[in-house]
Amino acid sequence: FFLHPHPAKPDSSTSRGLGDVYKRQPHINEFTSANREIDLNIEGLDVEGELNSEADITVVLTRKTPKARKVARLFPISYMPVCSPSRVKDVGSEDEAVFNLINNSTLMLHKARPYAWHQWAENAGLSKLNPGKIIFVDSMFALARAAEQGVGIALLPLPVSQDWLNTGSLIPLHTNHLVTEDFYWILINGNSSRQRSALLFFQWMLDKFQKYR
């Protein structure tokens, strides 16, 4: 994230995995509305992408504690199978019916987590995962939109994708969550020249996701 006071060029921050979500969700508007003197520019990165050393704030998904001037853990990532309401209209809530639907559907997940569906199935007690097709996408937003449009069943990361569930455009197919050892971390880059703005946004993020920590 790049955080620039007005009237300078917009502040910037980078987020690995979160960028495409934040660009399309209302949470960031809360910060910008309360801090109108700060322009916020968000740059999304692939999970494998290089971090932008010029960014003031970085949010990264990793199992290891990142090295930075100031760093804090935001929340763990978990995965839940979701789909459009129309797909489960005539499917009951029993595990057998849900598992049959999964094995007879197109499954979708982020390309950075190619084994997540098999891990979820094992964790949920599904002895054999044998779907007709598995589609890999390169962003969480594309994953949610494809599920919303009825393309298939998505293994969606939470809580960063919670808004789609809150609006009812997607619904959980099973209550089982695959909780991973991956965490989102927020860090202030050591070369940031906007420490006051960076600290303000850093604390806002910690407060915003407190309930998920």
Side-chain angles (χ1 to χ4, degrees):
F1 295 83
F2 297 95
L3 311 165
H4 297 267
H6 286 293
K9 99 177 192 182
D11 294 347
S12 169
S13 63
T14 64
S15 56
R16 178 171 288 169
L18 275 170
D20 55 339
V21 176
Y22 275 133
K23 290 175 183 177
R24 299 167 175 85
Q25 292 191 2
H27 303 302
I28 290 298
N29 289 337
E30 298 176 17
F31 177 82
T32 55
S33 296
N35 300 275
R36 296 186 181 277
E37 75 283 4
I38 299 175
D39 284 332
L40 181 64
N41 181 33
I42 301 176
E43 174 186 323
L45 299 174
D46 290 336
V47 174
E48 300 90 350
E50 292 293 329
L51 296 181
N52 187 340
S53 60
E54 296 182 358
D56 304 297
I57 293 278
T58 298
V59 176
V60 62
L61 178 63
T62 180
R63 296 187 178 189
K64 298 179 180 180
T65 305
K67 294 180 180 180
R69 182 173 183 176
K70 187 175 180 65
V71 61
R73 190 168 67 180
L74 286 176
F75 51 82
I77 200 78
S78 64
Y79 294 90
M80 171 181 277
V82 302
C83 61
S84 64
S86 60
R87 181 171 286 273
V88 294
K89 188 175 181 180
D90 299 319
V91 178
S93 58
E94 297 296 326
D95 282 355
E96 184 176 356
V98 171
F99 292 159
N100 284 337
L101 177 63
I102 289 174
N103 271 331
N104 287 281
S105 299
T106 295
L107 303 186
M108 302 178 294
L109 74 166
H110 197 285
K111 66 178 185 179
R113 299 290 180 268
Y115 306 110
W117 261 115
H118 293 278
Q119 292 168 343
W120 178 87
E122 182 179 358
N123 189 57
L126 176 57
S127 58
K128 187 176 181 181
L129 182 67
N130 188 28
K133 182 191 296 185
I134 297 181
I135 296 176
F136 300 93
V137 300
D138 60 5
S139 81
M140 290 185 290
F141 181 74
L143 185 63
R145 282 305 302 268
E148 187 179 33
Q149 294 168 5
V151 175
I153 300 172
L155 198 60
L156 207 62
L158 298 175
V160 294
S161 303
Q162 186 64 43
D163 278 6
W164 276 282
L165 301 181
N166 292 344
T167 61
S169 58
L170 292 174
I171 61 173
L173 188 58
H174 196 276
T175 57
N176 183 270
H177 285 238
L178 174 63
V179 181
T180 72
E181 297 179 1
D182 297 322
F183 282 82
Y184 274 110
W185 302 78
I186 184 170
L187 56 98
I188 296 179
N189 294 338
N191 58 353
S192 173
S193 61
R194 292 168 286 270
Q195 288 298 302
R196 179 186 173 278
S197 297
L199 285 169
L200 196 63
F201 186 69
F202 186 94
Q203 188 57 52
W204 180 85
M205 287 284 282
L206 291 181
D207 294 341
K208 184 67 180 177
F209 292 103
Q210 175 65 37
K211 64 181 178 180
Y212 298 113
R213 298 171 67 189

